[in-house]
Amino acid sequence: MNPVIGLDIAKGESKGQVFLDKGKPHGKSFNVVHTDAGLNQFLELLRTVEQTAGGVAPIVIFESTGHYHAPISQFLDKQNYTYVLVNPLIAHQAKKSSLRKVKTDALDAYHLCELYYKEEFEPYKRRGVYLLNLRNLTRQHESITGLYVQTKLQFQAVLDQVFPEFRGVFGDLYSKVSLRVLYEFPT
């Protein structure tokens, strides 16, 4: 047996479906609330599926959903369960292959299980806290740099309208002397 659990992640709650093997869904869809009590119920389900599958631990598959999947992934890491984090574009392509145009979270979880058996996915490799912090810092730096560049461009546009010859007077538009002159004589 090759059990898998597909989760359609949403804010605060996920919809899930269990497959014991390819083409063999097991039971009805279920909900996982992203609270301690809800995650403990999910752990019971994981253990039940493992017993039903003859001792083979299920792999959990879900889409990368920004920060909404964090409680599930952290919980699975803590409990030492293997999971696959799927790029949303890949999951969307798999859903589009369905003839039905109905969109439900339970159906999405079902499609994720089917996708697991069609593709060869690598289990998610946990990144260290330092790498995650570095990634967040880099994104924050890019954002601040973008704001800085945008502000300079807006400043130049206003200055060109109000004081068109000012740029030729000073070599560096942003030097202390240049900015001090503008501060002292705003009109």
Side-chain angles (χ1 to χ4, degrees):
M1 287 199 177
N2 187 11
V4 66
I5 297 176
L7 289 178
D8 184 56
I9 306 287
K11 182 179 178 180
E13 184 176 62
S14 300
K15 197 72 157 173
Q17 176 66 52
V18 176
F19 271 55
L20 292 178
D21 214 340
K22 183 176 182 176
K24 295 182 182 177
H26 178 71
K28 296 180 180 181
S29 63
F30 58 91
N31 291 332
V32 177
V33 181
H34 300 179
T35 62
D36 285 339
L39 292 173
N40 285 330
Q41 287 178 341
F42 183 52
L43 179 61
E44 290 175 25
L45 176 77
L46 287 166
R47 290 178 177 156
T48 303
V49 170
E50 187 173 347
Q51 289 174 349
T52 306
V56 179
I59 292 177
V60 182
I61 183 170
F62 50 92
E63 290 180 42
S64 174
T65 56
H67 62 279
Y68 293 140
H69 72 267
I72 297 291
S73 61
Q74 290 170 1
F75 176 77
L76 292 170
D77 281 335
K78 186 178 176 184
Q79 299 299 327
N80 293 319
Y81 276 93
T82 305
Y83 61 93
V84 174
L85 198 58
V86 179
N87 183 320
L89 294 174
I90 294 171
H92 181 72
Q93 286 295 86
K95 292 174 201 170
K96 275 179 45 176
S97 67
S98 173
L99 295 176
R100 292 186 179 173
K101 298 294 181 194
V102 179
K103 197 274 186 220
T104 66
D105 294 340
L107 195 58
D108 288 348
Y110 189 94
H111 284 304
L112 283 169
C113 289
E114 289 179 331
L115 180 64
Y116 173 78
Y117 293 114
K118 290 178 186 174
E119 303 288 332
E120 289 187 26
F121 291 107
E122 291 283 323
Y124 183 75
K125 293 177 180 76
R126 185 168 46 166
R127 295 185 176 113
V129 172
Y130 296 116
L131 185 61
L132 292 174
N133 287 342
L134 184 60
R135 183 178 68 181
N136 289 334
L137 267 173
T138 303
R139 288 180 179 170
Q140 188 69 28
H141 181 267
E142 282 181 22
S143 175
I144 291 171
T145 303
L147 287 172
Y148 174 70
V149 169
Q150 189 67 30
T151 303
K152 284 177 79 173
L153 290 172
Q154 289 173 352
F155 173 73
Q156 289 175 11
V158 169
L159 192 61
D160 287 343
Q161 292 172 6
V162 176
F163 218 155
E165 298 298 320
F166 189 81
R167 197 181 286 222
V169 176
F170 295 96
D172 182 10
L173 188 60
Y174 303 102
S175 68
K176 287 183 181 180
V177 175
S178 170
L179 295 175
R180 189 70 185 168
V181 167
L182 286 173
Y183 181 75
E184 292 294 327
F185 304 103
T187 59

